[in-house]
Amino acid sequence: MSALNLLPVFAVGLAGSVHCVGMCGGIVGALSGALKPSVPRRTIRIVPDTSTFPAIDLDGAARVLTYNAGRIASYMLAGALAGALVNGAGTLAFAARWQAIAYLLANAMLMALGLYLMNAWHGLARVEAAGNVLWRRLLPAMRYLLPADTLPKAFALGALWGWVPCGMVYSVLLTALLAGSATGGATVMLAFGLGTVPMLLALGLAGAWLRQAMQRPAVRAACGVLVLGFGVLGLVRHAAGLPHGWLDALCLVAPA
């Protein structure tokens, strides 16, 4: 995929990260405070000599970033597997029909994600429930990683958390599926994962205040409308046979 096609993938990660606040907010907050009270913390103040802007905990920020690196690494692995799967099936006679079906399904999943973020329809919750079979097998490993008071443990925890059943991740994985190669699929998931980082990093630094703000219905609705729009535009583009060009910056995948 071109850099232009990756922009909406990044945007979906950024808008959809309001969902990450609910799923990952607690663990990100725990990472920020994982050090024992007796361990000195390295901090930095953005605005000197004022209590209005509290000092940033550098150690906590490093753990949050490392956790996200592990999480994105798992996303990229899943994307590479998805892209390689379709690449391997590309020689089959029904490949073109399969790609067309996958394209429609990818955009339908985006619409479902938008409605999910808006609290208008919770069908994706059933998709997430289907992934619990894998997650139940991975969950026991988490006890060895908590508290995540070192960078290696934070990375491993993020890598494990990347396999948490998540409808938002599944919807973008369908786009990775259409990338046509392991490298393309991994790149799609990298763009998506990077889109979720700003929110989770800010959450680790701002804590409960940001978590409450991002769960406001108006914020979730605005993000949901954006993601819903990507899906609707993709389906309209497919149905109307709209040409490439500026639409590449607004559609997650090119029509098959």
Side-chain angles (χ1 to χ4, degrees), residues 116-141:
Y116 187 33
L117 294 175
M118 297 162 63
N119 286 323
W121 185 66
H122 295 88
L124 277 187
R126 301 187 186 95
V127 178
E128 291 178 351
N132 280 329
V133 176
L134 172 63
W135 178 238
R136 281 196 295 268
R137 294 182 179 275
L138 297 174
L139 193 58

Side-chain angles (χ1 to χ4, degrees), residues 2 12 28-29 39 45-46 64 74 79 83 87 99 104 112-113 116-117 125 133 159 167 171 181 186 191-192 203 229:
S2 68
V12 166
V28 168
V39 176
R45 286 192 176 276
I46 303 297
V64 171
S74 289
N87 186 40
Q99 288 176 342
L104 294 173
L113 174 60
Y116 187 33
L117 294 175
V133 176
S171 64
S181 68
F192 165 74
L203 184 66

Side-chain angles (χ1 to χ4, degrees), residues 202-220:
L203 184 66
L205 299 177
W209 177 85
L210 181 62
R211 186 154 56 244
Q212 293 174 358
M214 290 299 101
Q215 290 301 309
R216 291 175 180 169
V219 174
R220 289 183 62 90

Side-chain angles (χ1 to χ4, degrees), residues 78-111:
L81 292 173
L85 176 65
V86 171
N87 186 40
T91 57
L92 299 178
F94 60 85
R97 179 178 296 180
W98 155 251
Q99 288 176 342
I101 293 173
Y103 173 83
L104 294 173
L105 185 58
N107 285 287
M109 283 286 284
L110 280 178
M111 294 174 61

Side-chain angles (χ1 to χ4, degrees), residues 48-69:
D49 303 323
T50 177
S51 58
T52 304
F53 296 90
I56 294 177
D57 180 358
L58 294 179
D59 294 303
R63 286 193 300 279
V64 171
L65 283 173
T66 305
Y67 158 82
N68 280 288

Side-chain angles (χ1 to χ4, degrees), residues 107-108 110-111 225-238:
N107 285 287
L110 280 178
M111 294 174 61
V225 167
L226 177 62
V227 176
L228 178 66
F230 283 129
V232 170
L233 183 59
L235 292 180
V236 170
R237 178 182 182 178
H238 178 77

